[in-house]
């Protein structure tokens, strides 16, 4: 394990080719991004036709537009840059990947935050805890402390593929299955660890801050205003938003504006990739990083049937492992902690000025069945209040988050 510590002291570019032999990810059985059926939650989009993954030719992320203005941070959504040192991001990526391979699973894990923990935290867990502790003491946004007192449980997982994730809310999956209840975390977070050069400006996280738990509008037959916040993936960036807010990762970034033919083509490609994954179990896994993220939710109550890492390891072996972690990363993995708060940079948002609805219609696919998405329709149609060019410019921006307003079209 000490080889990872060397990354802290080596030039960052030397870590980019790190690969680990072993078996590929065992896919987590969850609601498929393509349907409401049980299917691997992780699929790869790497074989999608390159022409569909490139930024539209008319988009210039450096160009100014008279209809784009600055705006204050949307309520309860915060974005910070420079949260972790780049080398620490790479160590966290390696450790997260090793954990996935060791467990032969990408299931989410949980831990209790100090002083509520009864077992030692792993280095990755210490890193997450350090970021949450700094967030709670943030002078940038004092309101963050209001709901933090009871958020003692953290659920987390890792992903490094850029794949299409339909609009959804992270929930207690077992509660939905057993008691038909939708229970969401208090806050959700995305820590961006590494992004492939060719995907810069191509793989944002999209949050619908006012659309909670599902896509249920009381006035669904009337025009309803819908806010969308697009957050570009930037290494070292931390995104925090309400856990009940609908969110998605469109792949490619302009997926919601594709024609029916293009969408059909992508779905077929994804199904082929899913099928091919079933025959890769004996292949050697090599890390092909596209969009490496560490995702974590804070809960006041543990989600059902989520395991803790090393929960089956005997006490004496775990104690020996904790000593190794201390030698490698310092007490409580202090070498992997986030940077001091004064070095964080809170990122401002841009937005388009409101105009009349235009003909550009976004088709937002919702994850899961009706009980989960809270909508009879698996797809909602939104008309932007800005031109298509302006919306695409904001969606494909390299770094700046954007607030874009839509109107939901009648059924």
């Amino acid at each position: 394990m000490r080889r990872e510590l060397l990354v802290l002291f080596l030039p960052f570019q030397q870590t980019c080719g790190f690969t680990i032999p072993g078996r590929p990810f065992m896919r987590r059985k969850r609601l498929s991004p393509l349907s409401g059926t049980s299917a691997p939650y992780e699929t790869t989009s790497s074989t999608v036709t390159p022409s569909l993954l490139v930024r539209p030719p008319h988009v210039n992320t450096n160009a100014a537009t008279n209809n784009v203005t600055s705006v204050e941070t949307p309520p309860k959504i915060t974005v910070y840059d420079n949260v972790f040192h780049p080398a620490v991001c790479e160590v966290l990526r390696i450790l997260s990947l090793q954990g996935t391979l060791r467990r032969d699973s990408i299931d989410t894990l949980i831990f209790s935050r100090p002083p509520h923990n009864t077992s030692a935290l792993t280095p990755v867990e210490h890193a997450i805890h350090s970021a949450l502790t700094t967030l709670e003491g943030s002078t940038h946004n004092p309101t963050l402390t209001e709901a933090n007192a009871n958020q003692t449980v953290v659920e987390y997982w890792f992903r490094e593929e850029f794949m299409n994730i339909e609009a959804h809310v992270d929930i207690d999956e077992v509660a939905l299955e057993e008691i038909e209840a939708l229970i969401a975390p208090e806050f959700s977070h995305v820590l961006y660890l590494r992004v492939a050069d060719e995907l810069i400006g191509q793989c944002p996280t999209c949050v619908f801050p006012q659309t909670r738990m599902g896509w249920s509008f009381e006035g669904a037959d009337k025009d309803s205003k819908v806010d969308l916040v697009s957050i570009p993936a930037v290494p070292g960036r931390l995104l925090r938003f309400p856990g009940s807010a609908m969110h998605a990762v469109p792949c490619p970034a302009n997926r919601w504006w594709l024609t029916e033919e293009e969408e059909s083509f992508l779905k077929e490609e994804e199904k082929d990739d899913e099928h091919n994954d079933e025959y890769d179990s004996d292949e050697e896994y090599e890390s092909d990083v596209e969009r490496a993220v560490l995702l974590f939710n804070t809960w006041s109550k543990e989600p059902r049937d989520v395991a803790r890492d090393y929960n089956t390891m005997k006490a004496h072996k775990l104690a020996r492992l904790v000593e190794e972690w201390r030698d490698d990363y310092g007490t409580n993995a202090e070498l992997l902690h986030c940077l001091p708060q004064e070095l964080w940079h809170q990122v401002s948002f841009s937005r388009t000025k409101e105009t009349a609805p235009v003909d550009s219609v976004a088709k937002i696919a919702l994850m899961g069945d009706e009980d989960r998405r809270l909508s009879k329709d698996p797809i909602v149609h939104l008309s932007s209040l800005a031109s298509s060019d302006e919306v695409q410019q904001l969606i494909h921006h390299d770094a700046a988050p954007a607030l874009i307003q839509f109107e939901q079209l009648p059924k």
Side-chain angles (χ1 to χ4, degrees), residues 25-141:
F25 295 169
M26 293 296 291
R27 309 302 186 185
R28 180 183 181 183
K29 292 290 184 181
R30 292 186 60 177
L31 290 174
S32 169
L34 300 180
S35 68
T37 60
S38 177
Y41 187 64
E42 292 273 352
T43 58
T44 176
S45 298
S46 60
T47 59
V48 172
T49 301
S51 62
L52 295 181
L53 291 174
V54 299
R55 183 182 288 113
H58 63 270
V59 173
N60 179 1
T61 58
N62 295 318
T65 172
N66 292 330
N67 286 333
V68 176
T69 61
S70 61
V71 65
E72 293 183 357
T73 303
K76 296 189 177 181
I77 294 184
T78 49
V79 179
Y80 298 94
D81 282 343
N82 203 43
V83 173
F84 284 87
H85 188 279
V88 174
C89 286
E90 185 64 4
V91 174
L92 293 176
R93 185 190 72 81
I94 293 171
L95 291 177
S96 298
L97 177 58
Q98 285 182 331
T100 300
L101 297 172
R102 167 176 51 81
R103 294 185 301 273
D104 208 9
S105 169
I106 61 168
D107 285 359
T108 63
L109 299 168
I110 60 171
F111 70 91
S112 297
R113 298 179 59 192
H116 306 281
N117 58 311
T118 57
S119 59
L121 271 58
T122 70
V124 171
E125 292 167 355
H126 276 298
I128 293 172
H129 176 60
S130 74
L132 289 172
T133 301
T134 303
L135 270 174
E136 291 163 0
S138 174
T139 58
H140 296 297
N141 192 346

